[in-house]
Amino acid sequence: MIITYKRKLKLTKQQQHRVDSWIGACRYVYNLALETRIEAWKKQQSIGKYELMKQLPNLKDVAWIADVPSQSLQNVIERLDVAYQKFFSGGGFPKWAAKHRYNSMINLARVLPP
């Protein structure tokens, strides 16, 4: 049996600002990866999640993206890949990550300082 726990974090204002910045960066990377896949499709090419993950270190040159934990950025690419898998099995096309819909990330508790 798998047991799941849900916890609400009590963050300081500084921590909340940092988390909001990370979520915004993840949303930006998601939209950038979606745009990359759309452009590749227009050129009749295919690009998968591993090719996109290989490009993540190049994004770390940008300071506000470099602050985000790498596992969270990798999870963004995984999210997009799951959205594409659902699309190819009959679901709708992946949507752009809007600010009001994209509000979570993984590995948050492990990287926040006390």
Side-chain angles (χ1 to χ4, degrees), residues 24-35:
C26 287
R27 187 175 59 250
Y28 175 79
V29 170
Y30 180 93
N31 287 334
L32 186 62
L34 179 58
E35 181 181 3

Side-chain angles (χ1 to χ4, degrees), residues 23 27 95-104:
I23 291 172
R27 187 175 59 250
K95 296 180 177 162
W96 297 100
K99 187 172 185 176
H100 66 277
R101 281 191 331 218
Y102 198 101
N103 57 7
S104 66

Side-chain angles (χ1 to χ4, degrees), residues 20 23-24 26 29 32 35 41-42 44 74 77 89 91 100 107:
D20 290 342
I23 291 172
C26 287
V29 170
L32 186 62
E35 181 181 3
W41 180 79
K42 287 179 182 177
Q44 298 180 351
Q74 291 169 358
I77 304 300
S89 56
H100 66 277
N107 299 329

Side-chain angles (χ1 to χ4, degrees), residues 16 21 45-47 49 64 100:
Q16 184 63 46
S21 171
Q45 298 174 347
S46 177
I47 186 167
K49 71 177 180 179
W64 54 275
H100 66 277

Side-chain angles (χ1 to χ4, degrees), residues 19-69:
V19 168
D20 290 342
S21 171
W22 288 353
I23 291 172
C26 287
R27 187 175 59 250
Y28 175 79
V29 170
Y30 180 93
N31 287 334
L32 186 62
L34 179 58
E35 181 181 3
T36 302
R37 286 195 73 165
I38 291 171
E39 291 300 319
W41 180 79
K42 287 179 182 177
K43 295 176 183 176
Q44 298 180 351
Q45 298 174 347
S46 177
I47 186 167
K49 71 177 180 179
Y50 295 111
E51 290 87 7
L52 289 171
M53 283 185 187
K54 287 180 186 176
Q55 295 177 12
L56 286 176
N58 298 334
L59 292 176
K60 289 285 195 167
D61 293 339
V62 180
W64 54 275
I65 294 177
D67 188 41
V68 181

